[in-house]
Amino acid sequence: MASPEVAGDVVAVQRGDRDAFAALMARYQNRLYRYLLRWVRDHAAAEDLFQQTWMRILASLHRYDAGRNFDAWLFAIARNLVMDHLRSRKPDSIEEPVAEGLSLSDSIATDVPGALEQLLRSERAAQVQRALESQPPVFREILSLRFEEEMKLEEIAEVLSVPLGTVKSRLARALEHLRTVMLRHKLEEPAR
Amino acid sequence: MSEHERIRELLPLAASGDISPGELRAVHEHLSRCESCAGMYQDYGVLGSALRSLPTPQPREAVVARVLELAESRLGRSSANPREAFILAPLVVAGWLMAVATWPFARAATVWIFTGWRVPHGGLGTALAFYSILGFILACVSALAVGRRARIVGRRI
């Protein structure tokens, strides 16, 4: 369910209030743009999708059910447009990857407890940013929704239109994969 | 599956706070006696907080302005609907008055229908009423068509 402020803005936009639309946009524009950018990793494409998403929202707002979570509704619209965009370019880029390289995660965890703590003490943001960008798209998406958007697993399931169990397993795998990539970078660093 | 393996599978979601209280208790109990799992749990916690603190990329102002411009144009058209009624209603009345005003000419032009073909009619009053009602209906249909066209154009943006 939408917060009272958002619900008020939505009703006002449905009546044609331009200021309410500007307020709604100001509230979501950065989050939406970040989500799109996590998917496509290209500012031009993200900007194009950003514009398309808002126009789609405007066109669909009269069908929005006030009992539904507005965040999930908005991100689901954005996701559908991203899917169309990616399918038209590289269909296989949407698929969830099979497990690979996770054995490294186990071995390092056994040998060096808290290895990432040391690694991330400096340059944390840049390191994580790079590692996140190297993730498969579906992992980038779920990590962004959970940690950047602070969505609950149920909300993520609504955005992705998948069962809760799928969200849990995908999130766990995404975190494992991200950790593995970061530790791999750490191992490779001294060799450079 | 051993307890160690089961707990290890739970670690990513445990660190992100996405497991049940019962599972979390089991994880904490295991962590107190398993150094490798404790290190891994710590890693996931660090990753989660690092992801949360990533800088938020922002769309360019020009892009935001463009979206607002498009939205305003679209909302302007749809919100103009109530005002359309105020504009179209006088037009309907004006159309009807014009029809009434042209009655003498219409009567003169069509008088042969009534006389030559001997069509029964109820006199001047009935013919005038029929003519003005027809004019009113045509004005209404035209107004509705104009309004519908404006809405379709608005939707295409």
Side-chain angles (χ1 to χ4, degrees), chain B residues 85-110:
Chain B
F86 289 106
I87 297 167
L88 293 177
L91 284 177
V92 169
V93 174
W96 175 64
L97 289 174
M98 290 285 283
V100 172
T102 58
W103 161 247
F105 302 102
R107 174 72 182 167
T110 58

Side-chain angles (χ1 to χ4, degrees), chain A:
Chain A
M1 199 169 167
S3 70
E5 296 84 16
V6 171
D9 283 342
V10 168
V11 171
V13 176
Q14 285 170 335
R15 288 183 190 141
D17 186 332
R18 303 172 200 195
D19 292 338
F21 179 79
L24 200 62
M25 200 172 152
R27 194 185 299 273
Y28 285 98
Q29 66 185 37
N30 292 345
R31 293 177 59 193
L32 176 64
Y33 186 71
R34 174 172 62 189
Y35 174 72
L36 294 168
L37 196 60
R38 292 288 177 247
W39 259 113
V40 295
R41 287 184 296 183
D42 170 59
H43 284 277
E47 285 175 357
D48 189 37
L49 286 164
F50 179 79
Q51 182 172 314
Q52 284 183 48
T53 304
W54 283 112
M55 290 302 104
R56 181 70 64 88
I57 286 167
L58 207 50
S60 315
L61 208 58
H62 64 281
R63 290 199 299 268
Y64 168 68
D65 170 15
R68 208 178 153 190
N69 181 311
F70 185 77
D71 292 21
W73 183 78
L74 182 146
F75 281 93
I77 287 179
R79 187 173 203 273
N80 286 338
L81 289 166
V82 167
M83 291 297 116
D84 291 344
H85 169 83
L86 294 177
R87 274 192 202 105
S88 68
R89 284 160 182 253
K90 204 177 168 189
D92 58 343
S93 63
I94 305 167
E95 299 302 317
E96 185 166 358
V98 293
E100 57 175 43
L102 294 179
S103 57
L104 177 70
S105 165
D106 288 343
S107 62
I108 289 176
T110 309
D111 298 336
V112 191
L116 275 182
E117 181 75 63
Q118 303 158 30
L119 171 65
L120 292 174
R121 205 160 283 157
S122 60
E123 294 184 57
R124 172 179 290 189
Q127 298 262 14
V128 175
Q129 180 92 42
R130 276 198 296 276
L132 181 64
E133 282 175 7
S134 72
Q135 297 296 299
V138 289
F139 286 174
R140 286 202 303 271
E141 177 188 38
I142 202 159
L143 291 170
S144 178
L145 289 176
R146 180 66 190 93
F147 296 103
E148 294 186 306
E149 302 307 330
E150 298 280 8
M151 280 189 180
K152 293 175 184 163
L153 298 187
E154 290 80 5
E155 291 175 305
I156 297 174
E158 202 177 333
V159 174
L160 272 55
S161 296
V162 295
L164 186 60
T166 306
V167 173
K168 284 183 177 178
S169 61
R170 191 177 294 177
L171 178 61
R173 289 187 57 208
L175 280 166
E176 285 170 19
H177 199 269
L178 181 64
R179 179 175 178 274
T180 304
V181 167
M182 295 205 62
L183 293 175
R184 186 175 287 153
H185 286 169
K186 180 180 164 59
L187 287 182
E188 285 168 359
E189 260 176 12
R192 281 182 208 146

